[in-house]
Amino acid sequence: MTDTTEEADTIGDAVTCEAPFPIVTHRGTTSLAGRPPGATVDDNLLVRGSSGLREPGGSGSEPPPPDSLPRPAPTPLTRDNPGASGFNGLTHRDQLLAGTGEYEGTQLSVEPPDVPLCVGNGFVLQAVNLAVTAYDRRGDRLVDPIPLNQFFRLAPFADPETGTINEFTSDPKCYFDPEVRRWFLTVLQADERPENASANTRSHVELAVSKTDDPTGEWNLYEIDTTSDGENGTPEVAGCPCLADQPLIGTDKFGFYASVNLFSFEGLQFQRAQVYALQKSALLRGDVPNVDVLDVPLLEGAGVSLQPAIIPPRGRFEEKRRGTEYFLSSVIFGLSEQRISLWAASNTRSLERCAPDLELDQVFVPSQLYAQPPPALQKPGRTPLRRFLKRLGFDEPLERLNTNDVRMQQVYFADGKLWSGLNTAVGDPERAGIAWFIVEPSVRRGLDAWVVNQGYIALDDTNSVLFPAVAVNARGQGAIGYSLSGPDFFPSVAYSLLDERGAGLVHLIAEGAAPEDGFTGYTAFGGNGVSRWGDYSGAAVDDDGSIWLAAEYIPDLPRSMLANWGTFIAHVSRDARDPEPPCR
C-alpha cells in the first residue's frame, strides 16, 4: 500500500489510504445499557451447561520430577488487611441470568469465569466469560450484568429451547488506557462452538473502544478476522482456518495490540501465535485502523501466549526505536524451565502510515526455576451438586482446581520495568505457587533485558495460590492478586504487596464459604475430577495510584444448580503496608 498524503505530523491526524484493511471492520456502536440495577428475572436456566474451550496441557498432565521443583520458604499469611477493602463481583448466577429482549434466557453455564478488570475515572469495569458490568468505586453496580454477545451486538450465545450455541464467545479482556482516557474491551468469537466448526467457520476478536472516559456511555465496535486462512485479507497460516484463542491486549502510544494463539478448527491443534497491531488513533476516531499482523516463531516453546504490556496512570510508553511495545512470555511446553522471554515490537509509529512495518524481536532472559503446576486441593464442605449426582449413581470425589500451566499472566510496564507472574509447582510437598518477575528491558543497542528481582509466593503444607494478576503504579508500588485454596481453605481471594524489593505477606481478604462444586470436574459431565478455574485474574491501577484486584472464589451467595463460583474485587490503597517484623 502507498500513502496518498504526507505522513501525519502529529499522532491522530487522519491519513487517507488507497485501499482499506479488510481484516478489520467497523460494526457500529453499543453501550452497557440493559436492565436497570436491581431488576429481577426468573431463575429458570439452571440445567444447561457448557464447559467452554478446554486448554491443552497444564495441571493434571505429567508432573515435573521432584528434583526440578522450586522449594521456597512458605510465605506468612495474615487476615489483617490495613488499607484494603472490597466487594463481591460477578457470579456464575449473574452471568447465567444476564440479558434483555432476545438475549434473555440465552446464557449457558460456563466454567471457568475468566476475570478481567479495568479501572479509571471513578469507574470499575468487570467482565466474566459471558457477561460484563460496571461499578462505582464504592462497589455499587451502575448497570445490571449484560451478556457479552448483547454488548457486542452478536447473535445470542445459545438457543433458549435447545441449548445449541449460536455464536461462541469467550476470554474477555479489558483495559483503561490512561494516556487517551478510553476503555478497550475484547472477546474471542467463533461462528459456532469450536468443536463443531465446519470449513466455513470464521473466528474473530471482537473489540469495543469507548467514545469517552465513561464506560456506561457509547462505544465503537470493531471486528478483527483472525481465521488466518488467506481469506478476507487474513494471512495464510498452515493448519488454518483457526480459532484465535485467549486474546491478550495492550497499548502503546501508537497502537493497540492483541496477541492470540491459533488453534486449528480441525482437531483444535496449536499452530502458532500472532500479534495484531492496530492504529490506536484511528480506533479513537471511530475509523477503520491501519493493521500489521506479526507472526510469532515458536522458539523452543516461548512463542506462545505473549502478554502485551500496559502502563499505569502517569506511566510512560516506550518511545525508543520509533515506538516499542513490550511483551513477556514463558516457555510453556517443558516440565520445568529457568528462562522467560522478552519480545519487542518496534517501529510502532509506522501504524500511522498506510503500510505499517513493525519489527518483532526476542531475547531469552535467565530466571528463577518454574515448573508445571499441579491441581490445587480444597477444604471439604457442603457440595449440593456432588450430593445430587451421588443420588443418580455418580460417586464423585471432591474436586481439585485446575491451575492450567506456566503461561505468563498480565504484564505492567511501570517505573521502566516489566512486572508479571505465573503459576508454578512448588514443593515439598508439591503444590501450586506463584513465581513473580521484575524485568528491566532495554532497546538502546538492540534488545536486551535482565531480572531486577524475582521470587515466589507459596503457602505451607499442601495449600496453594494460583492465577496471579499484577498491577504496579508509576512509582513502582503494586500488588499481586490471586486465588487461594487447599485442605485448610475453601477457594478464597488473597493478595500480596509488591515493589522492587519483592513481594510481601499473603493477605487473605475474601475467605471462601464452601468448596468449588461446579460441573466441569465431575465425571457425570465428562470431567476428570479437576474443575476448571481461572483462567486468569485481573488487576489495574487507578488514577490515584491505588491498586484494584479481582479473582475467583466461592462466596456465600445464591448459586445456580451447575456452578457456585463467584468473584471478589479488592481495592488496595497506596498507603497499604505490611506490618513491620518484630524486633529480635
Side-chain angles (χ1 to χ4, degrees):
M1 295 183 185
T2 59
D3 293 350
T4 58
T5 65
E6 295 295 321
E7 179 181 4
D9 292 328
T10 60
I11 303 306
D13 288 351
V15 175
T16 303
C17 301
E18 290 181 350
F21 289 79
I23 197 171
V24 178
T25 56
H26 184 272
R27 296 185 51 249
T29 62
T30 190
S31 75
L32 289 175
R35 184 184 298 111
T40 59
V41 295
D42 291 332
D43 190 355
N44 62 355
L45 283 181
L46 307 187
V47 295
R48 299 180 181 135
S50 169
S51 63
L53 179 65
R54 184 176 290 273
E55 294 287 341
S59 61
S61 58
E62 181 184 356
D67 59 357
S68 66
L69 298 181
R71 287 176 165 75
T75 309
L77 181 145
T78 179
R79 287 177 168 82
D80 294 330
N81 299 287
S85 59
F87 53 88
N88 281 307
L90 290 170
T91 68
H92 175 264
R93 192 171 185 275
D94 288 333
Q95 70 87 19
L96 184 65
L97 300 178
T100 57
E102 67 174 318
Y103 295 90
E104 187 168 355
T106 63
Q107 302 279 82
L108 294 185
S109 292
V110 170
E111 289 187 314
D114 302 341
V115 192
L117 185 77
C118 44
V119 300
N121 193 36
F123 297 96
V124 179
L125 189 70
Q126 187 199 14
V128 291
N129 241 327
L130 294 184
V132 61
T133 193
Y135 306 87
D136 62 24
R137 296 175 92 251
R138 297 186 302 272
D140 295 328
R141 275 189 189 163
L142 304 176
V143 62
D144 266 9
I146 179 174
L148 285 168
N149 285 46
Q150 183 173 355
F151 174 78
F152 280 101
R153 300 292 190 254
L154 304 172
F157 187 85
D159 185 304
E161 299 300 324
T162 66
T164 302
I165 291 178
N166 293 322
E167 196 156 4
F168 180 85
T169 52
S170 187
D171 300 340
K173 281 284 188 177
C174 70
Y175 175 52
F176 179 72
D177 186 318
E179 184 189 61
V180 297
R181 311 293 293 177
R182 295 293 183 271
W183 304 80
F184 295 81
L185 176 63
T186 59
V187 70
L188 170 162
Q189 181 274 347
D191 294 342
E192 54 191 327
R193 188 178 178 87
E195 293 91 332
N196 302 330
S198 67
N200 297 321
T201 303
R202 302 205 69 78
S203 171
H204 304 89
V205 172
E206 304 293 334
L207 165 64
V209 183
S210 70
K211 291 187 176 183
T212 71
D213 57 7
D214 182 348
T216 66
E218 200 168 49
W219 300 58
N220 278 304
L221 292 177
Y222 295 90
E223 186 171 74
I224 309 168
D225 193 328
T226 52
T227 316
S228 296
D229 59 352
E231 300 293 327
N232 198 34
T234 66
E236 187 169 2
V237 175
C240 292
C242 285
L243 176 80
D245 189 40
Q246 204 175 93
L248 308 171
I249 66 172
T251 65
D252 76 345
K253 188 176 185 66
F254 307 103
F256 167 87
Y257 306 92
S259 164
V260 301
N261 293 331
L262 295 179
F263 286 80
S264 59
F265 280 125
E266 184 176 351
L268 292 178
Q269 297 297 310
F270 175 77
Q271 301 301 320
R272 68 184 312 151
Q274 285 180 327
V275 175
Y276 290 80
L278 278 62
Q279 177 192 11
K280 188 166 76 171
S281 62
L283 296 174
L284 301 179
R285 294 191 303 266
D287 295 339
V288 175
N290 299 333
V291 185
D292 201 2
V293 182
L294 306 178
D295 285 326
V296 179
L298 188 55
L299 288 180
E300 305 171 56
V304 182
S305 293
L306 276 64
Q307 279 278 359
I310 54 179
I311 67 165
R314 288 175 289 280
R316 299 186 63 181
F317 295 119
E318 178 63 86
E319 296 190 41
K320 297 184 182 71
R321 297 178 68 180
R322 294 182 59 80
T324 296
E325 170 68 6
Y326 292 118
F327 305 75
L328 286 180
S329 69
S330 57
V331 181
I332 77 165
F333 290 149
L335 296 180
S336 61
E337 186 57 65
Q338 289 183 283
R339 300 173 299 168
I340 58 177
S341 183
L342 171 68
W343 306 77
S346 59
N347 195 29
T348 63
R349 187 184 180 96
S350 68
L351 288 166
E352 292 295 319
R353 292 189 168 192
C354 294
D357 186 24
L358 278 66
E359 298 176 3
L360 185 65
D361 297 313
Q362 181 270 350
V363 63
F364 284 109
V365 183
S367 74
Q368 64 192 353
L369 180 66
Y370 56 92
Q372 296 289 348
L377 304 176
Q378 54 176 344
K379 178 180 174 180
R382 292 184 68 252
T383 49
L385 177 57
R386 178 176 168 227
R387 185 174 66 245
F388 174 74
L389 293 174
K390 187 170 185 179
R391 295 175 184 171
L392 299 180
F394 296 93
D395 191 10
E396 306 279 4
L398 182 68
E399 291 177 306
R400 296 173 292 160
L401 308 183
N402 197 345
T403 55
N404 281 8
D405 50 38
V406 297
R407 71 187 64 196
M408 194 69 68
Q409 301 294 319
Q410 179 174 300
V411 176
Y412 258 84
F413 182 48
D415 193 30
K417 305 171 190 68
L418 297 163
W419 311 67
S420 190
L422 50 79
N423 294 327
T424 181
V426 295
D428 177 30
E430 185 180 357
R431 58 210 188 273
I434 291 167
W436 54 266
F437 306 90
I438 307 173
V439 177
E440 186 166 342
S442 174
V443 289
R444 291 183 182 276
R445 296 183 179 88
L447 182 61
D448 196 7
W450 50 93
V451 172
V452 174
N453 202 353
Q454 58 189 349
Y456 302 96
I457 301 170
L459 297 178
D460 57 6
D461 298 325
T462 52
N463 296 303
S464 292
V465 289
L466 52 156
F467 292 109
V470 176
V472 179
N473 65 26
R475 298 174 60 186
Q477 301 169 322
I480 308 173
Y482 43 88
S483 296
L484 180 156
S485 184
D488 299 326
F489 301 94
F490 298 131
S492 303
V493 174
Y495 69 91
S496 298
L497 300 178
L498 179 68
D499 60 26
E500 193 170 326
R501 298 170 297 176
L505 306 179
V506 172
H507 289 264
L508 183 57
I509 192 169
E511 294 200 47
E516 151 72 12
D517 185 37
F519 67 103
T520 52
Y522 292 135
T523 58
F525 298 97
N528 62 357
V530 179
S531 176
R532 295 295 305 274
W533 194 265
D535 280 328
Y536 43 84
S537 304
V541 182
D542 210 340
D543 292 328
D544 64 357
S546 61
I547 307 298
W548 292 82
L549 307 162
E552 183 180 4
Y553 85 128
I554 305 299
D556 184 16
L557 292 171
R559 61 166 292 169
S560 74
M561 180 178 179
L562 291 181
N564 63 336
W565 60 257
T567 62
F568 189 82
I569 298 174
H571 185 208
V572 182
S573 75
R574 292 176 303 170
D575 302 322
R577 298 289 186 274
D578 282 335
E580 293 292 332
C583 297
R584 296 186 182 275

